[in-house]
Amino acid sequence: MEFERDKNFFTGRFKSMGFALKGAIKLITTEHSVMVQTSIGILMIIAGFYFHISHEEWMIQTLAIGLVLGIEGLNTAVEKVADFIHPEFHQKIGFIKDIAAGAVFFAAMTAIAIGCMIYIPKI
């Protein structure tokens, strides 16, 4: 079975955006870790309005929230593929999943550092 390519640039982009939005909604509504990260992101946005952070701080905060959610999404995808390929425990699959989780850890620690740099001086 061959997939039919959309030869029109704009309709192809709209379809891609639809798939991406569908994936983002699935991620936010089914994965507990993403629900937690999204909730924290929303709290940080509320804090930004409360503390009247600067435009530059908004840009950095938005980038940090997006980084964490993006890496969390990739981690989830790696875990789902790994579980599909090898449903029972396997040491090498566990190693791969740990590395993907480590990437989330780095992104989250970076976001925490950014949050501290923005908000500690304001408190």
Side-chain angles (χ1 to χ4, degrees):
M1 179 175 157
E2 190 173 321
F3 289 103
E4 192 175 317
R5 276 189 79 163
D6 191 330
K7 294 184 177 27
N8 187 317
F9 177 79
F10 292 107
T11 58
R13 298 301 63 81
F14 282 124
K15 284 181 181 177
S16 294
M17 289 173 53
F19 294 138
L21 181 60
K22 183 179 175 182
I25 291 168
K26 281 184 181 179
L27 196 59
I28 291 170
T29 58
T30 62
E31 297 300 317
H32 293 286
S33 58
V34 177
M35 290 176 197
V36 170
Q37 299 292 1
T38 301
S39 299
I40 293 169
I42 290 168
L43 289 174
M44 298 313 296
I45 291 168
I46 292 167
F49 284 115
Y50 181 80
F51 287 105
H52 304 287
I53 63 177
S54 71
H55 290 221
E56 293 81 8
E57 290 168 330
W58 272 114
M59 286 188 291
I60 300 299
Q61 177 172 284
T62 302
L63 182 63
I65 293 167
L67 173 73
V68 171
L69 291 174
I71 299 295
E72 189 73 66
L74 290 173
N75 176 53
T76 299
V78 167
E79 288 181 353
K80 298 292 184 192
V81 169
D83 290 344
F84 178 76
I85 291 171
H86 209 292
E88 58 277 348
F89 177 79
H90 189 279
Q91 188 174 359
K92 288 183 181 180
I93 294 291
F95 181 78
I96 292 166
K97 290 168 79 173
D98 287 347
I99 289 172
V104 175
F105 175 79
F106 285 132
M109 291 299 106
T110 301
I112 289 170
I114 288 168
C116 288
M117 286 183 259
I118 292 173
Y119 292 107
I120 287 177
K122 296 179 184 324
I123 294 177

